[in-house]
Amino acid sequence: MSRSVMIKGNKHGLTLWLDPKLEYAELYEEIMSKFKDSSSFFSFSKPIALKFEGKSLDHEEISEILDGISETTSLQIAYIIDEDS
């Protein structure tokens, strides 16, 4: 089992930990695979927050990940937690 992407629950929704050593393209494929494999688990009725940890992402990468998650699951991501701001 790959540890390059881990999905953890937090008090506001989910934390997505990404291995900072891997390239974005590889991480994106792993993220989509994890969410696809777990799509039945992610059936929250309320909008949630998503927090990214590990690898630093730009706005375009975050947007692509959010689009992929919404196509793969029924999750409603209301906002991104950014503790660096």
Side-chain angles (χ1 to χ4, degrees):
M1 178 180 219
S2 174
R3 294 276 187 201
S4 58
V5 173
M6 290 186 279
I7 303 169
K8 301 177 183 180
N10 65 46
K11 65 181 178 179
H12 302 291
L14 297 173
T15 299
L16 190 56
W17 183 86
L18 309 173
D19 188 333
K21 298 175 196 145
L22 294 181
E23 294 295 320
Y24 170 74
E26 188 176 346
L27 287 171
Y28 179 81
E29 292 302 319
E30 183 71 22
I31 292 165
M32 293 305 106
S33 175
K34 287 217 183 250
F35 275 97
K36 183 179 180 183
D37 292 346
S38 305
S39 63
S40 63
F41 178 75
F42 298 118
S43 59
F44 305 113
S45 59
K46 294 188 216 175
I48 64 163
L50 184 63
K51 179 179 179 184
F52 292 95
E53 291 184 347
K55 185 164 184 79
S56 182
L57 302 170
D58 63 33
H59 292 289
E60 193 172 299
E61 293 167 337
I62 291 171
S63 181
E64 184 178 18
I65 291 169
L66 294 177
D67 289 345
I69 291 171
S70 70
E71 291 172 8
T72 308
T73 70
S74 62
L75 285 175
Q76 299 173 37
I77 300 172
Y79 59 96
I80 303 298
I81 298 172
D82 183 3
E83 294 180 346
D84 293 336
S85 298

